[in-house]
Amino acid sequence: LPKESSRQECATLLTMAIRFDNGRFSKVVSTPQGGIRVEAAVSRTGILSYRLPDGTSRKELRLPEDVFHEDSLATLRGAPATHFHPGMVGPDNFRDVAVGYMGDDVRQDGNKVVGYMAIQDAAMVGKVQTGALKELSAGYTCTLDETPGEYEGQRYDAVQREIRYNHVALLPPGAGRSGADVSLRLDSAG
């Protein structure tokens, strides 16, 4: 067995976690099928705060090399769009919760992940068009590197690695963790 100090150095704790982060929409284009297509900023880099089950919060860092890693972006292409977070989406609940999907054009735009979202559910199309839904929250799993540190002058408790997207939830204004920057880009200011 290694010495105690070596065991501690080797024991960087990696745990799996499910996370939900937020974004925004852009210009809306009608589709021939009666739905809409809209550019969306669905995720970002930086430090995000998460509330834990015991009521405390922790700060987790999302580095560019993890957020924009091709393996991560690939899981967002074709991911279902949902109304709020239904938990994780899979074959058993897809039909009940999917209101649209992310396109294949997912890419980096500054510190954000952007791409086009198609929304086909009539009620959700109406809510997006009236502004009742404009923020986004990406549901995903990640591996947490529990090594704390500091990034751009701010303290964090863990680093999110191996980000794998499951769905992108539509939310009302003000409901997103990542702030107004992660949303549907509904106008030229987006």
Side-chain angles (χ1 to χ4, degrees), residues 47-174:
I47 297 174
L48 299 179
S49 184
Y50 294 87
R51 178 138 333 263
L52 300 175
D54 66 3
T56 62
S57 66
R58 64 186 268 140
K59 295 180 184 260
E60 296 178 7
L61 175 59
R62 294 169 46 86
L63 289 165
E65 58 262 31
D66 297 309
V67 172
F68 303 124
H69 193 283
E70 181 53 35
D71 291 344
S72 174
L73 295 178
T75 63
L76 192 54
R77 295 178 179 113
T82 63
H83 183 222
F84 288 98
H85 287 291
M88 299 306 267
V89 178
D92 294 338
N93 66 350
F94 178 86
R95 183 179 292 211
D96 296 327
V97 300
V99 299
Y101 58 91
M102 289 298 301
D104 289 336
D105 63 336
V106 175
R107 66 199 180 282
Q108 178 179 354
D109 182 2
N111 72 333
K112 295 175 196 69
V113 175
V114 300
Y116 279 91
M117 175 183 281
I119 303 167
Q120 292 300 125
D121 181 88
M124 297 305 111
V125 167
K127 289 181 179 192
V128 168
Q129 290 174 327
T130 64
L133 294 175
K134 72 184 328 185
E135 291 194 16
L136 301 174
S137 180
Y140 59 95
T141 62
C142 63
T143 301
L144 290 177
D145 175 345
E146 299 286 351
T147 307
E150 192 173 295
Y151 180 75
E152 296 181 347
Q154 293 185 343
R155 183 193 63 74
Y156 62 85
D157 302 302
V159 180
Q160 294 183 7
R161 306 278 189 198
E162 299 175 353
I163 298 165
R164 301 297 182 260
Y165 293 96
N166 176 264
H167 65 277
V168 179
L170 299 164
L171 303 173

